[in-house]
Amino acid sequence: ANQEVGATHQVPANGLALVPHVPPPAPAPQQPCPRARLPQVIATISAGFERGDYLVREERGANIYFDFFEEAYNFASQKGFSRMSPPEESDYMEMIRSAYNSIPGGPRFNRGRLLIVMKKRLVPVRIEDDSEPDGLVAGRELEEGREGDGTASSQS
């Protein structure tokens, strides 16, 4: 007493259709975060310090404390740092966390709670619109006034 539903499926008399088990698709392998193609330095903003609520750690080991997050962020921005993309930022956060966890007994200083990681490129880049730079090195064609070497040549 099976009812015919289609060319390939039959419904048993109790009305419950038997559906073959289809395993879920395998998760896509996580792509590694692309590393910077050009030289760059990073700065971090962390929270939880006695001297100030926020700490900016930047190039050459400079530590600057601020009472407000906006002050810390503006300071780093004025120094040329910009926010990383979320995958790149989380990759750096994991790397920094791993480095701190590798110290036997933990670090000797209060490292605070890491909030954001920022970057600054060390070479000029081509900016084509108002978006973030694409990482391509600016060529000579972008420099104004470089038509020649500035010397006059006489042709006879």
Side-chain angles (χ1 to χ4, degrees), residues 4 13 16 19-21 24 28-29 34 46 55 58 64 71 83 106 121-122 133-134 142 151 155:
E4 193 75 28
L16 298 175
V19 179
H21 174 69
S46 302
L55 167 66
E58 59 166 338
I64 300 100
E71 293 174 337
R83 186 95 189 255
R121 299 197 192 280
L122 296 178
D134 62 4
L142 296 179
T151 60
Q155 296 187 12

Side-chain angles (χ1 to χ4, degrees), residues 54-117:
Y54 300 96
L55 167 66
V56 174
R57 286 190 183 101
E58 59 166 338
E59 54 190 327
R60 298 187 190 104
N63 294 335
I64 300 100
Y65 293 89
F66 296 92
D67 291 325
F68 299 99
F69 177 81
E70 294 84 356
E71 293 174 337
Y73 190 88
N74 288 341
F75 173 81
S77 295
Q78 290 170 1
K79 295 281 232 157
F81 290 94
S82 63
R83 186 95 189 255
M84 291 183 172
S85 66
E88 187 178 14
E89 183 179 48
S90 65
D91 186 49
Y92 270 97
M93 285 185 166
E94 182 58 37
M95 180 178 58
I96 292 168
R97 193 174 302 115
S98 176
Y100 282 134
N101 291 339
S102 71
I103 301 170
R108 294 180 298 218
F109 56 90
N110 177 12
R111 61 186 177 142
R113 188 176 75 250
L114 184 60
L115 300 177
I116 64 172
V117 182

